[in-house]
Structure formats: structure tokens, C-alpha cells
């Protein structure tokens, strides 16, 4: 029973159920349109299936980045069949995506890259003149971590990433550039935030309540929690910074 409940809560399993749930109304609509003399082509049927799945996914509360996946999945499947792609190509694409997104189905944290304007804004908020310990949780390709390591060479700057492919890319970038930045593959939930002066996060709305709870338990006086785009929930004393015109906010909480 616990395994069944856990499976039902998994976003990837729910997304699969949504696709399956869209099949019956899609078939009913196709039959009705055919009876009216407006039969659908295979491409139109695939598009209808995708639209229905995206609508159902939105209704049941799937994260917004699942919606284009739901829309495009039937079309991509039809395209693969039409092009008669070899099975090994599909397997290779699956393995690449698995290595890139890894546990996104569980954590609901897809790949979100930040940008140099955000890095500079965080840097401007840090106390000057002393060595700091910084960690980018969900460091992706390592841009933030590499920038901070170059800007504050006296500091210890690290990134932690669960997905193997982005982690490997960030390790290679550090090695090729001679950066002192460190990259660890793992789950940031296993870290103690008490060890860091700055914790930087660019995650997703689904991850923010647990992140804030962990920060409250572990972060020490004088440290900073920075979150780009996604607001720190139910927290007072938040400083907001607009890093680019019309872009998302950077949220900064000092402890």
C-alpha cells in the first residue's frame, strides 16, 4: 500500500494516467466529427489527443512544464512512427534525457538555468572582505558556481546537482577553465545548510516549502538564502531584486 500511494503521487505516473485518460474523449470526439463528415487525419487526431491531455493535466494540477510535454507527446510518437526511426535512436534519446533530468519526475525540479545578471545581483549583496562558503543547490551546468568562484577567489564555492549529465558538464567546465569551483553529484537535502554563508536556489514552486523549512532549521545567523524566480513561502524580511527588466524577481532572505 505505501508503494501504491507513493506511485500515485509521482508526477510522471500522473502524467501517464493523464495521457491514458485523454484517449477516450479523443476517440469520442473523433467518431463524432467523422459522423458529421469531418474525419480527422492522424496528425489532427494526435494534436487533439495532446490538447486534451494538456487540458486534463492543467486541471489536475500538473506542474506547468508538464503541459507542453503532454501536448507534444502524441505528435512526437506519430512522427517517430512515420519516420521509421530505428529503436536504438529512441533508446539513446531516452538515456540522454534520463541523464539530463534524472529525478525530475520525483523532485518536480526541471532544468532552470539562471543568467549573469542574477549572479551579479547576488554577488552585490554579499559581505565584502572575507572568505565565504557558498553552495548552489541544483547547480545545473555550473554557471552560477563558476562565476562566484572567479569573482570571490578567497571563498569556497560549490555546486550540487543530482542529474548526471549536467553534473558532468559542470565538472568539465571547471577543469577546462582551471576554476577552483567544486561540483558534487547528490541531493541537497542531504547537506547541512549550517555549513554555508550563502545558499542559492533556482528550483521550482513545488520545492520551495521544503527548502524554506530546511533553511529555517539549519541556517545560522549571518547567512543568506537566495532564490531566483520562485518566492520563499511564508517568510518575512525578504528582499526582492529585479535583475532584468521584465524578468523574474530574485528573493533574498538574511538570517
Amino acid at each position: 500500500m505505501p508503494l501504491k500511494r507513493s506511485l500515485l503521487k509521482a508526477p510522471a505516473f500522473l502524467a501517464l494516467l493523464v495521457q491514458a485518460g485523454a484517449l477516450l474523449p479523443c476517440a469520442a470526439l473523433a467518431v463524432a466529427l467523422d459522423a458529421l463528415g469531418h474525419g480527422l487525419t492522424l496528425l489532427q487526431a494526435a494534436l487533439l489527443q495532446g490538447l486534451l491531455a494538456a487540458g486534463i493535466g492543467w486541471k489536475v494540477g500538473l506542474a506547468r512544464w508538464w503541459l507542453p510535454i503532454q501536448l507534444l507527446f502524441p505528435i512526437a510518437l506519430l512522427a517517430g512512427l512515420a519516420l521509421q526511426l530505428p529503436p536504438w535512436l529512441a533508446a539513446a534519446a531516452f538515456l540522454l534525457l534520463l541523464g539530463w533530468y534524472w529525478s525530475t519526475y520525483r523532485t518536480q525540479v526541471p532544468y532552470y538555468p539562471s543568467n549573469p545578471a542574477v549572479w551579479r545581483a547576488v554577488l552585490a549583496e554579499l559581505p565584502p572582505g572575507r572568505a565565504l562558503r557558498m553552495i548552489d543547490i541544483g547547480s545545473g551546468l555550473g554557471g552560477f558556481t563558476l562565476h562566484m568562484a572567479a569573482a570571490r577567489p578567497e571563498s569556497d564555492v560549490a555546486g550540487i546537482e543530482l542529474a548526471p549529465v549536467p553534473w558532468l558538464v559542470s565538472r568539465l567546465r571547471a577543469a577546462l577553465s582551471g576554476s577552483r569551483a567544486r561540483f558534487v553529484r547528490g541531493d541537497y537535502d542531504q547537506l547541512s545548510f549550517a555549513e554555508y554563508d550563502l545558499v542559492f536556489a533556482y528550483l521550482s514552486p513545488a520545492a520551495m516549502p521544503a527548502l524554506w523549512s530546511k533553511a529555517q532549521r539549519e541556517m545560522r545567523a549571518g547567512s543568506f538564502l537566495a532564490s531566483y524566480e520562485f518566492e520563499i513561502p511564508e517568510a518575512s524580511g525578504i528582499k526582492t531584486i529585479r535583475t532584468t527588466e521584465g524578468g523574474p524577481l530574485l528573493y533574498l532572505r538574511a538570517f
Side-chain angles (χ1 to χ4, degrees), residues 9-164:
K9 290 180 180 179
F13 186 72
L14 181 56
L16 181 62
L17 289 179
V18 165
Q19 280 290 339
L23 284 171
L24 185 59
C26 180
L29 281 170
V31 169
L33 288 169
D34 187 60
L36 294 171
H38 301 287
L40 297 177
T41 65
L42 281 177
L43 180 59
Q44 289 170 333
L47 180 59
L48 177 61
Q49 166 73 18
L51 287 169
L52 288 170
I56 296 171
W58 172 77
K59 191 68 176 177
V60 301
L62 280 177
R64 67 174 186 265
W65 52 271
W66 274 106
L67 304 185
I69 295 175
Q70 296 284 25
L71 173 65
L72 297 174
F73 178 77
I75 300 171
L77 186 62
L78 181 63
L81 292 172
L83 294 172
Q84 297 183 329
L85 298 177
W88 66 263
L89 188 58
F94 172 77
L95 290 175
L96 178 62
L97 291 172
L98 179 65
W100 191 273
Y101 291 102
W102 201 243
S103 63
T104 293
Y105 76 94
R106 174 177 61 83
T107 62
Q108 301 189 64
V109 179
Y111 172 65
Y112 284 133
S114 55
N115 60 72
V118 178
W119 311 338
R120 291 191 294 269
V122 175
L123 186 62
E125 297 296 319
L126 297 179
R130 66 183 179 93
L132 302 173
R133 295 201 72 195
M134 312 180 205
I135 184 79
D136 179 3
I137 56 175
S139 52
L141 300 179
F144 175 88
T145 309
L146 292 166
H147 180 86
M148 288 297 180
R152 296 291 294 265
E154 80 287 353
S155 296
D156 179 70
V157 187
I160 185 167
E161 172 59 52
L162 200 54

Side-chain angles (χ1 to χ4, degrees), residues 146 150 170-181 183:
L146 292 166
S170 63
R171 287 287 301 270
L172 290 172
R173 291 182 69 189
L176 292 172
S177 65
S179 173
R180 295 175 62 251
F183 292 97

Side-chain angles (χ1 to χ4, degrees), residues 154-225:
E154 80 287 353
S155 296
D156 179 70
V157 187
I160 185 167
E161 172 59 52
L162 200 54
V165 171
W167 166 77
L168 182 59
V169 171
S170 63
R171 287 287 301 270
L172 290 172
R173 291 182 69 189
L176 292 172
S177 65
S179 173
R180 295 175 62 251
R182 297 181 296 106
F183 292 97
V184 179
R185 198 177 84 81
D187 189 342
Y188 70 83
D189 199 44
Q190 305 304 312
L191 297 175
S192 171
F193 285 176
E195 298 177 9
Y196 300 97
D197 300 291
L198 169 71
V199 175
F200 176 77
Y202 189 13
L203 301 176
S204 78
M208 295 309 295
L211 172 63
W212 174 236
S213 179
K214 180 177 174 65
Q216 285 181 298
R217 292 194 310 269
E218 298 178 358
M219 295 193 73
R220 50 186 167 76
S223 61
F224 296 88
L225 173 65

